[in-house]
Amino acid sequence: EVTCSGRGGARAKSEDSNACFDPPTGTRLVMSAAGTDERAPLLLGADAASGGWGWRKRALAGLAILGTVAACVCAVAATGGLGPVGMAALGVDEQCHSPLSQSAQKIGLSTYAPPDRCKAMVVCAGSPRAASTAECTLAEHVLEYMMEDEHRAGRLQQEKATYLGYWNYHLHQLCSDGFDCENKYPAGLQNLWTRDDWSNALSNVDGGDDIRTEMDNYYGKRDSVEPSSVVIAKTHEFDETLLTMCDRRLVLTSSREKEEVFDSALSLGWFTQPKEDSRWWFDTYYDLWQQWGHCWVSATQGDDNTARFDLNFKQLSTEGSFRAVVRLMAYELAKVLQLDDTLMDMNGIVDKVVDRDFQRELNPTLTNGDLRRATAEAASN
């Protein structure tokens, strides 16, 4: 069941359900994917509906900012790429920041505290509706086989990676579009600096139990991380904090043809038909998603301890291209773990992942769109 209520609009009650969305009337959409920690954008809020053209002005102002940031990114590329320190010199850091944490800090909401030390981190930072979940799943499975083999051979201390979940999940659940978040966080959530503060405040928030559970899960896993650990975190939003975690990092990004992204989002109900009536809103958020990707690109360039791997959606279409991208990813993961790939059974690792994942739905709940709802309706008839 979906409840459309609360400040800012609709919110899905369950982790794997689709919620309401009607851009013309300003109703807000929230959708979740079971097991993926991935949500659709909160495309509009109830406050947007009451604000009318004023909200559109804020959105257009946001797009103007995006254009400025894109220019900064181009400047970084032209200079051969700069790491996080170099970004600050160009002023890019003023725009390439976490849209969640910066907004949270304005009203006194704490962000996740990272592990004290870890060996390597995989940041699953793919773009929405561009195989981001599939890419992260492939990385998890490659690491699973690789780390088991290397641990068994005595070349790696840890046997498996630690999945930390969606980074700053609590903020993502409250503002999953990453836009104008300080005006979307529930009014009663302010000055929450500790887990106890959050636990008490979430009792009165729609979906608070889920957020509290995920927060507890994160800190339980974080507290188990050791200097030799390999960790994985998921995000769509850019977050510079992730670029300072662990000794070495691999950032996974993804890409897909714009119109395919639009069609995929439409099929899930993220936007409403007729298609052209939703194009303005889609373009707004697509530009935002692209900007997060550009920020990951510029931030990883010139950083010897951070690499980036991009997956194009088309690479998942045939077994040959699928196998090739899995192999390339495996070599990148071996590098970030500082392992000698010549000592590995790389063919065996790739074969296992291909056999396990090719032509299997790696993000079933989102891809099925309204299947859950349709199934429930059929059962009631």
Side-chain angles (χ1 to χ4, degrees), residues 142-156 158-159 343-346 348-349 352:
V142 170
L143 282 174
E144 177 184 333
Y145 298 126
M146 182 179 292
M147 292 181 68
E148 286 177 354
D149 289 350
E150 292 299 291
H151 178 75
R152 191 179 304 112
R155 294 188 290 265
L156 192 63
Q158 298 289 333
E159 186 176 9
L343 301 177
M344 297 179 186
D345 179 12
M346 195 64 81
I349 293 172
K352 289 177 183 178

Side-chain angles (χ1 to χ4, degrees), residues 223-240:
D223 292 345
S224 69
V225 172
E226 301 175 352
S228 60
S229 294
V230 178
V231 300
I232 307 170
K234 175 78 181 286
T235 185
H236 287 307
E237 305 86 6
F238 175 77
D239 194 317
E240 61 273 29

